[in-house]
Amino acid sequence: MKTHSYYCIAEDSLAVYLPVRCYELTLKHRLLEQLGSFSHLLLDALTLLPEQGVAWVLEVTGLSPQQLQPILNRMEGLGLIKEGQLTRRGEMLTRWKRLLHGQRRDVWLDGQHNSHDFCGDASLEIAALHEAEEAFVIRRWQRNTGKPRAWSCQDWNEDCERQKTRIMRVPTEYLGAVFDTFYDCFGDSGFNVNEWELSVRYVPQENVEMAALKVPLDVADLQPGGTSEYALVSPVICLDTHYCLPDGAPAELKVHQPENQRHIVSFSSAVVVPQHLLDEPTSTWCWPEVGAVDRQQAAEHLFQNLAVSTPVEGEALFNRQHSLVERWQGFGIDWAVVAERLQDIEGIHPIRGA
């Protein structure tokens, strides 16, 4: 069958949606958490008043030197104070106390606990989806088999623990993305995970059935065929013309019978590969959505194009039968393409961890 032409009639925006959840992260330094209020007061006083810090604490608290001495002894034993002054470690701990200890931040994560691709900070714009919507939703924890699961882990507590483990595998990247003071604390020194405690709390979104990250794609991201990780189909309308000899016509005319013709209208600018058109859709994801009006316009366009096209040589000798059929072009998207497009979204931070 000879294919004549392609026409782009209409095109909707192309996007995929990634289910995400919001988590509240709280970061605490283990030693700072263990120190009492007087120790914290000493750290602050010696930072602001290096020479008079101890005397100021005695005056403000009303403690006697004998009562304060055990606290000073403990802090000296911990390497935070020496001869009434903050040590380098004490200064560092005071900076952590001011900038990071006890701080809370929100982070958006997907349900793929064992991978490190991206996270979103509090500025990320989230789409609210309904389960019944036929959106192009990518759940990386499920390879299009069985009934879609809303999330990879049904128990909230277990999910939070998995997310915590995920973050602490590459803490610098995750925490540095959402805590704006993180690199102020660890610009010169590494982050020691053993000194810190991270708590993760799931933050449900009110009146949102499914929170998802919308990732706009380009038509050029679609690969014809079915070898990619995620498949979708695009509808096309075909006007097929079949030729045959009239009854009783000389059989020797068969050699002059024109090749059957196919005119195609696609509804997107994606490249259509005629030999790969499908009789039935092989994916539940269909793009673009085409209504009855669009289909009618496509049919009219096909017949108008046929009416003004150059006549096929010898076709006057043969019977012609026109048929209007709907076909489907299969396309695929790889996760690498989605990950690349993610980087263009404000509030997204790529995670390069292993």
Side-chain angles (χ1 to χ4, degrees):
M1 180 177 289
K2 184 177 181 180
T3 304
H4 270 283
S5 53
Y6 310 87
Y7 300 93
C8 180
I9 298 297
E11 185 171 293
D12 295 330
S13 59
L14 175 61
V16 297
Y17 293 85
L18 308 180
V20 290
R21 279 182 173 179
C22 182
Y23 301 88
E24 181 187 77
L25 306 184
T26 304
L27 196 57
K28 294 183 179 181
H29 190 269
R30 296 181 189 276
L31 179 55
L32 283 170
E33 190 68 8
Q34 294 170 6
L35 293 177
S37 58
F38 286 122
S39 297
H40 280 268
L41 184 60
L42 270 170
L43 289 174
D44 292 335
L46 291 172
T47 301
L48 298 174
L49 304 167
E51 301 300 328
Q52 299 88 25
V54 174
W56 181 85
V57 170
L58 289 171
E59 180 182 349
V60 169
T61 62
L63 294 174
S64 66
Q66 292 77 13
Q67 290 173 313
L68 187 61
Q69 192 59 47
I71 300 175
L72 290 172
N73 292 341
R74 185 188 180 209
M75 296 184 72
E76 287 183 1
L78 293 171
L80 305 180
I81 293 178
K82 185 177 183 180
E83 298 178 355
Q85 301 291 312
L86 287 178
T87 62
R88 183 177 180 183
R89 175 164 173 75
E91 292 174 349
M92 182 172 60
L93 209 68
T94 303
R95 185 167 69 252
W96 293 348
K97 168 177 157 30
R98 177 171 52 89
L99 297 177
L100 200 58
H101 173 69
Q103 297 286 318
R104 290 182 172 86
R105 296 291 188 276
D106 286 345
V107 64
W108 291 93
L109 298 169
D110 69 355
Q112 188 75 352
H113 301 104
N114 295 324
S115 70
H116 307 286
D117 295 298
F118 73 95
C119 70
D121 61 34
S123 69
L124 191 64
E125 291 189 10
I126 297 298
L129 298 182
H130 297 285
E131 291 285 358
E133 291 184 37
E134 296 183 357
F136 196 160
V137 179
I138 290 181
R139 299 174 175 86
R140 296 190 64 204
W141 55 86
Q142 187 160 356
R143 296 296 182 180
N144 297 333
T145 57
K147 183 179 179 180
R149 291 181 293 157
W151 200 250
S152 54
C153 180
Q154 301 303 313
D155 183 87
W156 290 5
N157 293 324
E158 182 181 351
D159 178 46
C160 288
E161 283 301 312
R162 291 184 182 182
Q163 298 291 20
K164 175 181 174 179
T165 300
R166 174 194 213 175
I167 292 171
M168 296 308 275
R169 288 196 190 106
V170 280
T172 300
E173 295 191 50
Y174 283 105
L175 301 178
V178 295
F179 286 91
D180 51 339
T181 57
F182 186 84
Y183 289 109
D184 293 333
C185 294
F186 302 102
D188 300 325
S189 60
F191 177 78
N192 186 345
V193 295
N194 296 319
E195 291 189 28
W196 294 84
E197 177 66 32
L198 176 69
S199 63
V200 179
R201 183 179 69 88
Y202 171 49
V203 183
Q205 305 299 297
E206 293 186 7
N207 302 319
V208 176
E209 192 171 338
M210 178 193 293
L213 173 60
K214 181 179 180 180
V215 185
L217 299 179
D218 191 272
V219 174
D221 296 330
L222 299 179
Q223 299 298 317
T227 59
S228 300
E229 293 179 77
Y230 304 100
L232 74 155
V233 291
S234 185
V236 297
I237 301 296
C238 303
L239 178 58
D240 293 343
T241 302
H242 296 269
Y243 295 91
C244 65
L245 276 173
D247 292 341
E252 55 267 22
L253 291 178
K254 184 71 175 178
V255 296
H256 301 292
Q257 181 174 317
E259 185 178 359
N260 293 333
Q261 310 291 317
R262 166 168 279 182
H263 291 73
I264 299 177
V265 168
S266 65
F267 297 93
S268 77
S269 57
V271 176
V272 174
V273 182
Q275 59 269 33
H276 292 165
L277 290 183
L278 308 168
D279 294 339
E280 298 292 338
T282 55
S283 172
T284 57
W285 288 321
C286 180
W287 175 84
E289 294 185 5
V290 179
V293 174
D294 293 327
R295 284 180 166 80
Q296 183 61 35
Q297 291 177 346
E300 292 174 0
H301 190 89
L302 283 168
F303 281 104
Q304 289 172 2
N305 181 73
L306 183 64
V308 298
S309 62
T310 303
V312 176
E313 183 178 356
E315 70 175 347
L317 301 175
F318 296 85
N319 289 336
R320 290 173 299 171
Q321 181 179 1
H322 301 300
S323 58
L324 202 63
V325 295
E326 183 173 30
R327 292 291 181 263
W328 308 86
Q329 173 68 63
F331 291 103
I333 302 172
D334 287 324
W335 172 252
V337 172
V338 179
E340 182 178 352
R341 297 299 181 187
L342 273 171
Q343 300 181 38
D344 299 329
I345 300 176
E346 183 177 354
I348 284 292
H349 301 268
I351 303 297
R352 307 299 185 188

